[in-house]
Amino acid sequence: MTVSHSWYITYLLTKDIYIKEVRVFNLFTYLFNRFSKLRTIFYYQNLKLFKRKTIFSFVYQFVDFLFTIVVVIAAIQSALSGEILVGNLMTYINTTSKLDNAVQNLTTSLFSIYQDSLYSKNIIDFFKFTSFRKKTDRRKIKCRKTIKEIDTIEFKKVSFKYPGTETYALKNVEFKVKKGETIALVGKNGSGKTTLIKLLAKLYEDYTGQILINGIDLKDIDDSSYSSAFSVVFQDFNDYQYTVKENVGFGSLKDMNNDEDIYEALKKADMDKVVDTFPNKINQQLGTWFEGSIDLSGGQWQKIALARGLMKKVKLYILDEPTAALDPQSEYIFFKRFIKSTKGSTSFYVTHRFTNVKFANMILVLNNGQIVQRGTHNSLIKQEGLYRRMFDYQTMTYKGE
Ligand code: ADP
């Protein structure tokens, strides 16, 4: 535990992605002191182990020495008194020395077993860990159905608690989506929007109720055929220290070398013009880690992640706060292009900005894990309720009231 915590702090203090906050929030001294404390604990634990080992070795060697002396003296005495021959004496001495070596090897091995056993708890805990997926994986995999495209989606009384928690992250969620519809998920932080998306992406399966895809229970659908049928951009997307082409191409590996497709995806994410300014265009190395790299702004990285998501040609797109890092103009351009380019596909997106919800056919308003309102923007704005309160609050904030 101590070692892994100190490793984590090393990571925080040395990885470029964390260092920004470490500097801005002045965390260096605090983290470094924690690191020193942990290393001190680790040092004393090690020292204790070393002391134990030294005492044990000393006692063992002392006993061993006494034993050898006794055997050799007894053998010499027997040789002097003529009870045994000189050859026998040598055999006794050699045997004692071999026995001594064997016992020494045995004790060294026992000690290293003891030392390793101190770390084995971690691995035992790891093997003991039964993933929530395991239960469903035990189902007969051969019976799993494959799908090519996602046409309809239905949530039937879906409730879900994260493993190890007691509160529902989603409760009795019900909705039905037809092919080609655009669904916006809105609600306060912690209301269950991302959880809904995670269940739809089949990241968790221990929910109650049913999720039906094309009328088939999602739990019965083969994992890889399902994941080939949708694309998702999570809010904590990755920024790969690779070229633009690789960053985008990871969305659809089979098309990675199709430059036209890469450009097309970049265009949908409104990133094509920026990439054109790079010395190596789509072969430009991105990031900060390697020589010749160009680093991007947060918004540009997000556009690259969106291009990656849109590179995959599927019938379901899931976007979790896809434009959080974009300026309002880029956001507007993105949504217009997104809706146009994904026409005919179903899409889900989580958003906090009410300017984006007008693109949706249906808005689901979540609160405490439940859908509390649903409808279009025009219908919801006319109703008293959470949606209007959130909308009013945002417009008031924009007006500076
Ligand atoms: P939203 O996307 O609307 O902000 P989330 O779906 O992320 O909300 O979270 C819904 C609830 O589930 C919250 O109470 C949150 O604390 C909890 N939650 C989210 N992720 C986890 C997790 N990995 N483990 C335990 N609880 C979680």
Side-chain angles (χ1 to χ4, degrees):
M1 208 59 171
T2 319
V3 183
S4 55
H5 275 195
S6 66
W7 264 110
Y8 179 61
I9 296 177
T10 313
Y11 195 76
L12 288 181
L13 292 176
T14 53
K15 290 281 173 227
D16 56 345
I17 44 169
Y18 296 114
I19 207 70
K20 292 194 289 292
E21 291 211 1
V22 169
R23 285 175 77 159
V24 169
F25 297 123
N26 256 334
L27 300 175
F28 184 82
T29 315
Y30 171 80
L31 287 172
F32 188 75
N33 287 343
R34 262 184 92 156
F35 175 81
S36 306
K37 243 186 227 167
L38 289 168
R39 292 314 285 193
T40 312
I41 294 172
F42 179 59
Y43 168 77
Y44 281 112
Q45 280 174 348
N46 237 357
L47 191 69
K48 213 166 124 191
L49 209 65
F50 181 73
K51 271 185 189 162
R52 231 187 271 172
K53 190 178 172 181
T54 313
I55 292 169
F56 179 80
S57 294
F58 177 76
V59 172
Y60 164 74
Q61 273 173 11
F62 185 69
V63 172
D64 180 48
F65 175 72
L66 284 182
F67 173 75
T68 313
I69 292 283
V70 170
V71 170
V72 171
I73 289 176
I76 291 173
Q77 266 178 356
S78 301
L80 288 175
S81 63
E83 280 173 44
I84 56 169
L85 299 173
V86 176
N88 288 356
L89 170 67
M90 291 315 292
T91 312
Y92 275 126
I93 291 173
N94 277 343
T95 311
T96 316
S97 139
K98 277 192 180 143
L99 192 70
D100 183 31
N101 278 344
V103 174
Q104 226 169 51
N105 285 343
L106 185 72
T107 45
T108 312
S109 306
L110 283 177
F111 198 81
S112 61
I113 289 172
Y114 167 70
Q115 205 166 14
D116 290 344
S117 74
L118 297 177
Y119 300 102
S120 62
K121 192 183 172 302
N122 293 349
I123 194 121
I124 291 168
D125 287 349
F126 176 73
F127 284 125
K128 267 194 199 155
F129 179 75
T130 45
S131 152
F132 55 89
R133 288 187 71 92
K134 228 175 166 183
K135 279 183 237 154
T136 35
D137 285 348
R138 275 196 220 110
R139 290 159 158 247
K140 290 184 190 105
I141 294 200
K142 275 185 196 151
C143 292
R144 289 206 163 188
K145 299 178 178 102
T146 56
I147 54 159
K148 281 210 168 85
E149 283 186 356
I150 295 169
D151 292 328
T152 58
I153 298 163
E154 187 174 1
F155 272 53
K156 281 175 134 180
K157 285 199 177 301
V158 173
S159 297
F160 174 70
K161 288 177 190 167
Y162 280 96
T165 64
E166 284 309 313
T167 42
Y168 280 99
L170 283 184
K171 192 130 207 260
N172 285 332
V173 169
E174 288 203 286
F175 63 87
K176 201 170 175 178
V177 176
K178 289 199 290 284
K179 191 175 176 179
E181 284 187 324
T182 302
I183 315 300
L185 304 172
V186 300
K188 295 182 213 159
N189 290 337
S191 57
K193 304 178 297 293
T194 301
T195 307
L196 193 154
I197 273 178
K198 285 182 190 164
L199 297 197
L200 183 58
K202 212 172 188 247
L203 295 181
Y204 292 90
E205 288 194 333
D206 54 345
Y207 51 84
T208 56
Q210 258 193 323
I211 301 176
L212 299 174
I213 303 293
N214 305 346
I216 308 167
D217 192 326
L218 179 56
K219 290 179 187 171
D220 290 333
I221 300 176
D222 167 67
D223 285 358
S224 78
S225 94
Y226 185 62
S227 56
S228 310
F230 72 90
S231 183
V232 58
V233 180
F234 288 110
Q235 43 179 305
D236 47 353
F237 55 84
N238 286 350
D239 38 5
Y240 299 100
Q241 308 284 313
Y242 293 121
T243 61
V244 174
K245 194 171 171 167
E246 287 162 316
N247 262 284
V248 177
F250 283 174
S252 176
L253 286 175
K254 66 180 171 50
D255 303 313
M256 171 113 98
N257 291 320
N258 187 336
D259 291 2
E260 241 175 68
D261 280 9
I262 302 274
Y263 263 109
E264 186 65 30
L266 286 168
K267 201 168 171 186
K268 285 177 193 166
D270 192 29
M271 190 60 190
D272 52 326
K273 290 194 188 83
V274 178
V275 170
D276 269 339
T277 65
F278 295 160
N280 299 317
K281 313 280 187 222
I282 57 170
N283 293 311
Q284 179 61 53
Q285 174 75 30
L286 298 180
T288 48
W289 288 35
F290 304 109
E291 228 178 286
S293 297
I294 287 184
D295 198 16
L296 303 178
S297 69
Q300 288 169 336
W301 273 118
Q302 186 160 42
K303 285 180 180 181
I304 291 283
L306 287 167
R308 182 163 55 246
L310 294 173
M311 180 76 185
K312 199 166 168 183
K313 289 164 196 78
V314 284
K315 291 286 174 221
L316 173 63
Y317 290 94
I318 307 171
L319 311 176
D320 193 356
E321 293 197 45
T323 51
L326 305 192
D327 58 79
Q329 192 187 346
S330 303
E331 190 175 25
Y332 183 74
I333 293 172
F334 169 74
F335 268 103
K336 264 186 85 173
R337 288 188 186 177
F338 172 69
I339 298 298
K340 198 172 155 206
S341 65
T342 58
K343 214 174 165 114
S345 301
T346 308
S347 50
F348 276 78
Y349 62 90
V350 173
T351 184
H352 279 295
R353 297 201 206 163
F354 284 83
T355 40
N356 304 327
V357 292
K358 63 170 181 279
F359 295 104
N361 302 105
M362 177 161 69
I363 300 161
L364 300 178
V365 186
L366 282 117
N367 196 28
N368 292 328
Q370 302 191 37
I371 297 180
V372 290
Q373 283 181 288
R374 66 185 75 203
T376 59
H377 172 73
N378 288 339
S379 69
L380 289 172
I381 204 71
K382 287 181 197 138
Q383 297 167 22
E384 273 296 335
L386 182 62
Y387 186 84
R388 204 166 86 194
R389 282 203 300 279
M390 287 196 303
F391 180 82
D392 287 346
Y393 190 76
Q394 199 166 89
T395 39
M396 254 164 46
T397 319
Y398 281 144
K399 285 182 197 157
E401 288 169 29

PDB file of all heavy atoms in Angstrom, residues 162 165 169 188-195 198, ligand 1:
ATOM      1  N   TYR A 162     -23.760   1.427  -8.264  1.00  0.00           N
ATOM      2  CA  TYR A 162     -22.362   1.077  -8.531  1.00  0.00           C
ATOM      3  C   TYR A 162     -21.913   0.032  -7.522  1.00  0.00           C
ATOM      4  O   TYR A 162     -22.377   0.062  -6.368  1.00  0.00           O
ATOM      5  CB  TYR A 162     -21.469   2.319  -8.439  1.00  0.00           C
ATOM      6  CG  TYR A 162     -21.524   3.163  -9.687  1.00  0.00           C
ATOM      7  CD1 TYR A 162     -22.378   4.257  -9.783  1.00  0.00           C
ATOM      8  CD2 TYR A 162     -20.746   2.841 -10.788  1.00  0.00           C
ATOM      9  CE1 TYR A 162     -22.448   5.020 -10.945  1.00  0.00           C
ATOM     10  CE2 TYR A 162     -20.809   3.599 -11.958  1.00  0.00           C
ATOM     11  CZ  TYR A 162     -21.659   4.677 -12.026  1.00  0.00           C
ATOM     12  OH  TYR A 162     -21.731   5.414 -13.172  1.00  0.00           O
ATOM     13  N   THR A 165     -21.736   0.338  -3.511  1.00  0.00           N
ATOM     14  CA  THR A 165     -22.471   1.502  -3.012  1.00  0.00           C
ATOM     15  C   THR A 165     -23.920   1.105  -2.705  1.00  0.00           C
ATOM     16  O   THR A 165     -24.402   0.088  -3.187  1.00  0.00           O
ATOM     17  CB  THR A 165     -22.498   2.662  -4.045  1.00  0.00           C
ATOM     18  OG1 THR A 165     -23.214   2.225  -5.195  1.00  0.00           O
ATOM     19  CG2 THR A 165     -21.114   3.108  -4.443  1.00  0.00           C
ATOM     20  N   ALA A 169     -27.759   4.936  -8.575  1.00  0.00           N
ATOM     21  CA  ALA A 169     -27.278   5.955  -9.518  1.00  0.00           C
ATOM     22  C   ALA A 169     -28.335   6.148 -10.597  1.00  0.00           C
ATOM     23  O   ALA A 169     -28.448   7.222 -11.184  1.00  0.00           O
ATOM     24  CB  ALA A 169     -25.954   5.532 -10.131  1.00  0.00           C
ATOM     25  N   LYS A 188     -28.631  17.987 -13.292  1.00  0.00           N
ATOM     26  CA  LYS A 188     -27.527  18.515 -12.476  1.00  0.00           C
ATOM     27  C   LYS A 188     -26.395  17.505 -12.399  1.00  0.00           C
ATOM     28  O   LYS A 188     -26.586  16.336 -12.745  1.00  0.00           O
ATOM     29  CB  LYS A 188     -28.030  18.799 -11.058  1.00  0.00           C
ATOM     30  CG  LYS A 188     -29.052  19.883 -10.988  1.00  0.00           C
ATOM     31  CD  LYS A 188     -29.414  20.099  -9.525  1.00  0.00           C
ATOM     32  CE  LYS A 188     -30.859  20.499  -9.388  1.00  0.00           C
ATOM     33  NZ  LYS A 188     -31.387  20.264  -8.068  1.00  0.00           N
ATOM     34  N   ASN A 189     -25.255  17.931 -11.879  1.00  0.00           N
ATOM     35  CA  ASN A 189     -24.146  16.990 -11.666  1.00  0.00           C
ATOM     36  C   ASN A 189     -24.606  15.876 -10.740  1.00  0.00           C
ATOM     37  O   ASN A 189     -25.300  16.134  -9.755  1.00  0.00           O
ATOM     38  CB  ASN A 189     -22.952  17.690 -10.989  1.00  0.00           C
ATOM     39  CG  ASN A 189     -22.287  18.670 -11.922  1.00  0.00           C
ATOM     40  OD1 ASN A 189     -22.404  18.547 -13.132  1.00  0.00           O
ATOM     41  ND2 ASN A 189     -21.616  19.646 -11.350  1.00  0.00           N
ATOM     42  N   GLY A 190     -24.226  14.661 -11.069  1.00  0.00           N
ATOM     43  CA  GLY A 190     -24.557  13.525 -10.205  1.00  0.00           C
ATOM     44  C   GLY A 190     -25.983  13.013 -10.402  1.00  0.00           C
ATOM     45  O   GLY A 190     -26.443  12.163  -9.647  1.00  0.00           O
ATOM     46  N   SER A 191     -26.676  13.509 -11.437  1.00  0.00           N
ATOM     47  CA  SER A 191     -28.066  13.075 -11.616  1.00  0.00           C
ATOM     48  C   SER A 191     -28.175  11.731 -12.339  1.00  0.00           C
ATOM     49  O   SER A 191     -29.257  11.156 -12.409  1.00  0.00           O
ATOM     50  CB  SER A 191     -28.870  14.155 -12.347  1.00  0.00           C
ATOM     51  OG  SER A 191     -28.267  14.443 -13.584  1.00  0.00           O
ATOM     52  N   GLY A 192     -27.085  11.251 -12.928  1.00  0.00           N
ATOM     53  CA  GLY A 192     -27.097   9.910 -13.529  1.00  0.00           C
ATOM     54  C   GLY A 192     -26.908   9.878 -15.042  1.00  0.00           C
ATOM     55  O   GLY A 192     -27.018   8.814 -15.653  1.00  0.00           O
ATOM     56  N   LYS A 193     -26.577  11.029 -15.640  1.00  0.00           N
ATOM     57  CA  LYS A 193     -26.455  11.094 -17.110  1.00  0.00           C
ATOM     58  C   LYS A 193     -25.342  10.173 -17.622  1.00  0.00           C
ATOM     59  O   LYS A 193     -25.557   9.354 -18.515  1.00  0.00           O
ATOM     60  CB  LYS A 193     -26.183  12.547 -17.557  1.00  0.00           C
ATOM     61  CG  LYS A 193     -27.234  13.525 -17.085  1.00  0.00           C
ATOM     62  CD  LYS A 193     -26.928  14.946 -17.483  1.00  0.00           C
ATOM     63  CE  LYS A 193     -25.671  15.551 -16.898  1.00  0.00           C
ATOM     64  NZ  LYS A 193     -25.675  15.763 -15.455  1.00  0.00           N
ATOM     65  N   THR A 194     -24.161  10.306 -17.031  1.00  0.00           N
ATOM     66  CA  THR A 194     -23.027   9.491 -17.493  1.00  0.00           C
ATOM     67  C   THR A 194     -23.283   8.018 -17.204  1.00  0.00           C
ATOM     68  O   THR A 194     -22.932   7.151 -18.010  1.00  0.00           O
ATOM     69  CB  THR A 194     -21.719   9.964 -16.810  1.00  0.00           C
ATOM     70  OG1 THR A 194     -21.545  11.337 -17.141  1.00  0.00           O
ATOM     71  CG2 THR A 194     -20.516   9.176 -17.269  1.00  0.00           C
ATOM     72  N   THR A 195     -23.938   7.743 -16.076  1.00  0.00           N
ATOM     73  CA  THR A 195     -24.229   6.345 -15.733  1.00  0.00           C
ATOM     74  C   THR A 195     -25.130   5.727 -16.801  1.00  0.00           C
ATOM     75  O   THR A 195     -24.890   4.598 -17.240  1.00  0.00           O
ATOM     76  CB  THR A 195     -24.902   6.273 -14.342  1.00  0.00           C
ATOM     77  OG1 THR A 195     -24.076   6.974 -13.424  1.00  0.00           O
ATOM     78  CG2 THR A 195     -25.091   4.851 -13.888  1.00  0.00           C
ATOM     79  N   LYS A 198     -23.049   4.914 -19.645  1.00  0.00           N
ATOM     80  CA  LYS A 198     -22.178   3.759 -19.377  1.00  0.00           C
ATOM     81  C   LYS A 198     -22.958   2.452 -19.517  1.00  0.00           C
ATOM     82  O   LYS A 198     -22.435   1.462 -20.014  1.00  0.00           O
ATOM     83  CB  LYS A 198     -21.574   3.850 -17.983  1.00  0.00           C
ATOM     84  CG  LYS A 198     -20.458   4.879 -17.860  1.00  0.00           C
ATOM     85  CD  LYS A 198     -19.910   4.823 -16.452  1.00  0.00           C
ATOM     86  CE  LYS A 198     -18.970   5.939 -16.124  1.00  0.00           C
ATOM     87  NZ  LYS A 198     -18.773   6.061 -14.676  1.00  0.00           N
TER      88      LYS A 198
HETATM   89  P1  ADP B   1     -23.815  12.902 -13.976  1.00  0.00           P
HETATM   90  O1  ADP B   1     -23.220  12.361 -15.237  1.00  0.00           O
HETATM   91  O2  ADP B   1     -25.238  13.295 -14.136  1.00  0.00           O
HETATM   92  O3  ADP B   1     -23.008  14.013 -13.373  1.00  0.00           O
HETATM   93  P2  ADP B   1     -23.139  10.316 -12.857  1.00  0.00           P
HETATM   94  O4  ADP B   1     -23.910   9.378 -13.682  1.00  0.00           O
HETATM   95  O5  ADP B   1     -21.693  10.458 -13.126  1.00  0.00           O
HETATM   96  O6  ADP B   1     -23.849  11.743 -12.866  1.00  0.00           O
HETATM   97  O7  ADP B   1     -23.317   9.915 -11.319  1.00  0.00           O
HETATM   98  C1  ADP B   1     -24.556   9.479 -10.767  1.00  0.00           C
HETATM   99  C2  ADP B   1     -24.296   9.046  -9.333  1.00  0.00           C
HETATM  100  O8  ADP B   1     -23.471   7.892  -9.319  1.00  0.00           O
HETATM  101  C3  ADP B   1     -23.604  10.088  -8.484  1.00  0.00           C
HETATM  102  O9  ADP B   1     -24.168  10.067  -7.198  1.00  0.00           O
HETATM  103  C4  ADP B   1     -22.151   9.615  -8.451  1.00  0.00           C
HETATM  104  O10 ADP B   1     -21.541   9.985  -7.248  1.00  0.00           O
HETATM  105  C5  ADP B   1     -22.312   8.108  -8.542  1.00  0.00           C
HETATM  106  N1  ADP B   1     -21.167   7.504  -9.241  1.00  0.00           N
HETATM  107  C6  ADP B   1     -20.725   7.818 -10.465  1.00  0.00           C
HETATM  108  N2  ADP B   1     -19.689   7.033 -10.818  1.00  0.00           N
HETATM  109  C7  ADP B   1     -19.474   6.196  -9.769  1.00  0.00           C
HETATM  110  C8  ADP B   1     -18.572   5.135  -9.514  1.00  0.00           C
HETATM  111  N3  ADP B   1     -17.661   4.770 -10.413  1.00  0.00           N
HETATM  112  N4  ADP B   1     -18.644   4.508  -8.322  1.00  0.00           N
HETATM  113  C9  ADP B   1     -19.563   4.867  -7.411  1.00  0.00           C
HETATM  114  N5  ADP B   1     -20.473   5.843  -7.585  1.00  0.00           N
HETATM  115  C10 ADP B   1     -20.429   6.509  -8.756  1.00  0.00           C
END
